[in-house]
Amino acid sequence: MNMEVKCMELKNTKRIRPIPYNSEDRAFLENVGRKIHHLRIERKLTQNELAEMAGLHKNFICIVEKGTQNPSLL
């Protein structure tokens, strides 16, 4: 399934809402998220530290680890 997004204009900002994933995609994202979480903990990094190292926002790291966001893997 291709990742498609819809943008909503709200007071000069864009919100991206992913289209729901099928069960295989969701399982894949959850598995990747668990692996990222495990490796981060193994290396004794906080989400803030990993986010800074990757040039991402801490909240993005959180939702990737939960498997609710596609970090351009699919």
Side-chain angles (χ1 to χ4, degrees), residues 45-73:
L45 294 172
T46 66
Q47 288 180 341
N48 282 335
E49 291 168 333
L50 179 58
E52 284 184 30
M53 292 169 69
L56 300 169
H57 194 278
K58 169 185 92 101
N59 293 347
F60 186 71
I61 299 296
C62 178
I63 58 177
V64 167
E65 286 185 355
K66 288 181 182 178
T68 57
Q69 181 68 32
N70 176 13
S72 301
L73 294 174

Side-chain angles (χ1 to χ4, degrees), residues 9-56:
E9 294 291 332
L10 293 175
K11 297 180 185 175
N12 299 325
T13 63
K14 287 186 179 182
R15 280 177 92 183
I16 299 174
R17 293 181 295 150
I19 293 177
Y21 304 113
N22 65 32
S23 60
E24 287 179 14
D25 290 347
R26 187 179 324 276
F28 175 74
L29 292 174
E30 288 172 357
N31 189 36
V32 169
R34 277 192 298 272
K35 287 181 181 181
I36 291 170
H37 175 79
H38 174 75
L39 291 169
R40 179 179 62 78
I41 297 301
E42 187 177 89
R43 288 168 175 75
K44 296 179 172 61
L45 294 172
T46 66
Q47 288 180 341
N48 282 335
E49 291 168 333
L50 179 58
E52 284 184 30
M53 292 169 69
L56 300 169

